[in-house]
Amino acid sequence: NAGVTQTPKFQVLKTGQSMTLQCAQDMNHEYMSWYRQDPGMGLRLIHYSVGAGITDQGEVPNGYNVSRSTTEDFPLRLLSAAPSQTSVYFCASSSGTSGGPAYEQYFGPGTRLTVT
Amino acid sequence: GQNIDQPTEMTATEGAIVQINCTYQTSGFNGLFWYQQHAGEAPTFLSYNVLDGLEEKGRFSSFLSRSKGYSYLLLKELQMKDSASYLCAVPNSGGYQKVTFGTGTKLQVIP
């Protein structure tokens, strides 16, 4: 199992550009989440999903969109990048109701995004 | 809402014991997690407590007191590789899909 994979690892955008951060998991997990991590702020939840076709907002959703068309994939779209979105982005998954401890989250390696 | 407090930084000596504290406020308790995060890497799960008391896992133990809104992570026989940030986190009352993380405690282990 590859676990949780994220692409790209690094990205530089100009203000106003849009892009999609990819996240995929091969553990058949129901729950998937996107976090951003900034110095001194800890991990903050952007959006999450409890299954294919079901998404909801987290703590800091503005400027981001998500969709979940399959169990495996959970892309995060930046609509119009701003310097305030410079951060490290982590995708995570957990089993939810599909078996295994629902509380343990598995994190991808992260995407380091810089917006200039 | 949920609020989590942890010390920002700690330093401890190789071979020693260190205790990292976490206090939390939550509208509905649904357990408490500890994650380890090495610099430049993703967090990895360490422990989950939902009942009061101490849970031991090798060199790492985690303690919970629900009445006091308090938890600690105890690391014994410290090794240099234990230098990392330790994140305390609580899920919201609705379930595990929404989790609030503390800002983390950066532990430096010195020889």
Side-chain angles (χ1 to χ4, degrees), chain B residues 3-7 21-25 32 68-71 88:
Chain B
N3 190 43
I4 298 173
D5 284 311
Q6 308 178 232
N21 295 327
C22 170
T23 58
Y24 65 89
Q25 294 171 320
L32 183 142
K68 296 182 179 176
Y70 168 68
S71 174
C88 176

Side-chain angles (χ1 to χ4, degrees), chain A residues 31-33 35 37 40-45 48-50 56-59 90 94 102-110 112, chain B residues 30 33 35 37 39-48 85 87 89 91-92 94-104:
Chain A
Y31 293 174
M32 295 186 76
S33 302
Y35 295 90
Q37 187 172 39
M41 300 289 289
L43 285 160
R44 291 184 292 168
L45 183 64
Y48 67 96
S49 168
V50 298
D56 205 347
Q57 296 180 352
E59 182 186 350
F90 288 103
S94 58
Y103 48 80
E104 180 178 349
Q105 290 194 82
Y106 294 80
F107 285 81
R112 284 144 185 84
Chain B
N30 205 19
F33 310 111
Y35 282 81
Q37 185 177 26
E41 296 183 9
T44 55
F45 173 81
L46 284 178
S47 67
Y48 171 71
S85 288
L87 314 178
N92 76 350
Y96 302 114
Q97 62 272 29
K98 287 185 77 170
V99 178
T100 298
F101 281 81
T103 54

